[in-house]
Amino acid sequence: QSVLTQPPSVSGAPGQRITISCTGSSSNLGAGYDVHWYQQLPGTAPKLLIYANNNRPSGVPDRLSGSKSGTSASLAITGLQAEDEADYYCQSYDTSLSGSVFGGGTKLTVL
Amino acid sequence: EVQLVESGGGLVQPGGSLRLSCAASGFSFSTYWMHWVRQTPGKGLVWVSRINSDGSSTYYADSVKGRFTISRDNAKNTLYLRMNSLRAEDTAIYYCVREGSGWYSFDYWGQGTLVTVSS
């Protein structure tokens, strides 16, 4: 059971828009701690997609965006492409655990 | 180019010890906080430990506190994780990770090193 809750899977057709939710609690997202998002392709290390709720590192396309409100956050991907098929994780800090926490991950399937 | 290269993983018996290393290059290692994150094959990510830039402050997940020790040698641009009293549940891929612009955000990851705890 992960501290941050994500749907196990989402899917969409090429060109569509999808969102992945991340639900926390008053000790992490609700306490004001930032959320970060990662993409993990099979057999590779995770890659940072969004940091501090809605900031994209250099090289991440602007069809990816993040938002956060209260105890929830979401990652949106527009113009879905086959190469977006991967696992996605949200991550934040939890004051009760005094450390970082991850969501359980969401597998994105491009139909 | 930022590079993080882990080494030291392998097969170890329950109760045994192992030391992981992470060689950093392409950035000013001594100015960054660093972390270890692990991933059980086929499962999710779990934060393990954090160390500040000069090595004077360390933080651990409850699951490894008292058994694992994170350290660094800034002269050698190397991060370490000493793992003692290893258990089957410590079996995972261990990633060396750099903390980025966002607090507790992980902007660069190594390729990972596999630790298997089994008799």
Side-chain angles (χ1 to χ4, degrees):
Chain A
Q1 189 88 4
S2 300
V3 174
L4 302 179
T5 301
Q6 298 179 235
S9 63
V10 298
S11 62
Q16 283 190 332
R17 177 182 185 270
I18 64 96
T19 62
I20 298 173
S21 62
C22 175
T23 303
S25 67
S26 58
S27 61
N28 41 68
L29 303 188
Y33 293 106
D34 290 335
V35 65
H36 319 295
W37 291 91
Y38 303 86
Q39 176 195 59
Q40 187 175 32
L41 298 169
T44 69
K47 170 190 172 184
L48 180 65
L49 292 179
I50 299 288
Y51 67 94
N53 308 320
N54 55 16
N55 296 278
R56 285 185 305 276
S58 173
V60 174
D62 60 6
R63 59 189 188 82
L64 278 74
S65 63
S67 64
K68 172 179 173 278
S69 179
T71 59
S72 296
S74 64
L75 172 70
I77 305 177
T78 59
L80 208 55
Q81 300 177 3
E83 66 220 45
D84 296 326
E85 191 160 286
D87 293 325
Y88 292 82
Y89 295 89
C90 62
Q91 176 242 336
S92 185
Y93 178 84
D94 190 285
T95 189
S96 296
L97 298 173
S98 298
S100 181
V101 290
F102 286 90
T106 298
K107 182 174 182 58
L108 169 60
T109 300
V110 180
L111 302 170
Chain B
E1 179 193 4
V2 172
Q3 283 200 316
L4 299 168
V5 180
E6 303 94 337
S7 60
L11 175 64
V12 60
Q13 291 189 339
S17 298
L18 213 54
R19 189 181 80 159
L20 307 182
S21 299
C22 170
S25 61
F27 66 102
S28 182
F29 179 72
S30 63
T31 65
Y32 283 85
W33 294 52
M34 299 294 295
H35 299 249
W36 289 96
V37 174
R38 69 186 182 185
Q39 183 172 34
T40 306
K43 296 202 175 173
L45 299 162
V46 176
W47 173 78
V48 173
S49 184
R50 181 194 197 208
I51 189 167
N52 70 342
S53 56
D54 67 8
S56 60
S57 296
T58 57
Y59 309 83
Y60 300 93
D62 287 344
S63 59
V64 307
K65 202 171 292 183
R67 301 188 299 123
F68 288 13
T69 302
I70 189 173
S71 63
R72 65 193 297 162
D73 185 336
N74 285 343
K76 295 182 178 179
N77 289 343
T78 303
L79 177 72
Y80 302 101
L81 185 68
R82 176 69 179 182
M83 303 184 294
N84 295 331
S85 304
L86 282 162
R87 307 165 180 167
E89 54 264 37
D90 294 318
T91 294
I93 298 170
Y94 284 75
Y95 294 103
C96 166
V97 183
R98 190 182 85 168
E99 184 167 327
S101 301
W103 193 59
Y104 266 94
S105 72
F106 304 143
D107 64 351
Y108 284 93
W109 299 61
Q111 86 287 353
T113 186
L114 177 62
V115 172
T116 303
V117 184
S118 175
S119 54

